[in-house]
């Protein structure tokens, strides 16, 4: 998956959560994690992933969408630039 495709996929996944489609979003999120986790710095990634999991557990779909679209996307972009 190219960097542009990953960016689009993260945004699309975030949109699913914003639309209340949490099951579809969660399934897509698992696929995305497999693609992006090897590209991000482990310590920063762990902090963001824990925050995302906490938001998912609280069923705070808007926070989860924000983490996907802004925090995780930023980490992926940083990883791609190194």
């Amino acid at each position: 998956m190219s960097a542009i495709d990953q960016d689009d996929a993260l945004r699309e996944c975030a949109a699913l959560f914003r639309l209340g489609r949490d099951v579809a979003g969660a399934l897509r999120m698992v696929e995305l994690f497999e693609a992006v986790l090897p590209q991000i710095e482990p310590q920063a990634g762990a902090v963001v992933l824990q925050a995302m999991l906490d938001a998912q557990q609280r069923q705070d779909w808007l926070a989860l969408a924000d983490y996907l679209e802004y925090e995780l996307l930023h980490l992926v972009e940083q990883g791609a630039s190194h």
Side-chain angles (χ1 to χ4, degrees), residues 1-3 7 9 13 15-16 18-19 25 30 34 38 45 48 51-53 55 59 62 64 66 73 76 78-79 81:
M1 185 181 294
S2 73
D7 291 358
C13 185
L16 289 172
R18 287 197 175 92
L19 294 171
V30 170
E34 292 175 359
V48 171
M52 291 173 65
L53 293 174
Q59 297 183 359
L62 295 178
L64 182 55
D66 286 346
L73 182 61
V76 169
Q78 279 184 328
S81 68

Side-chain angles (χ1 to χ4, degrees), residues 13-73:
C13 185
L16 289 172
F17 284 111
R18 287 197 175 92
L19 294 171
R21 297 185 55 205
D22 54 299
V23 174
L27 292 172
R28 184 69 176 130
M29 188 172 65
V30 170
E31 294 172 8
L32 289 170
F33 281 173
E34 292 175 359
V36 302
L37 286 181
Q39 302 172 32
I40 61 177
E41 192 275 318
Q43 190 171 11
V47 171
V48 171
L49 291 177
Q50 184 61 54
M52 291 173 65
L53 293 174
D54 290 345
Q56 187 176 25
Q57 188 174 28
R58 292 188 315 270
Q59 297 183 359
D60 185 349
W61 308 127
L62 295 178
L64 182 55
D66 286 346
Y67 282 118
L68 278 164
E69 190 170 8
Y70 301 109
E71 301 297 331
L72 187 59
L73 182 61

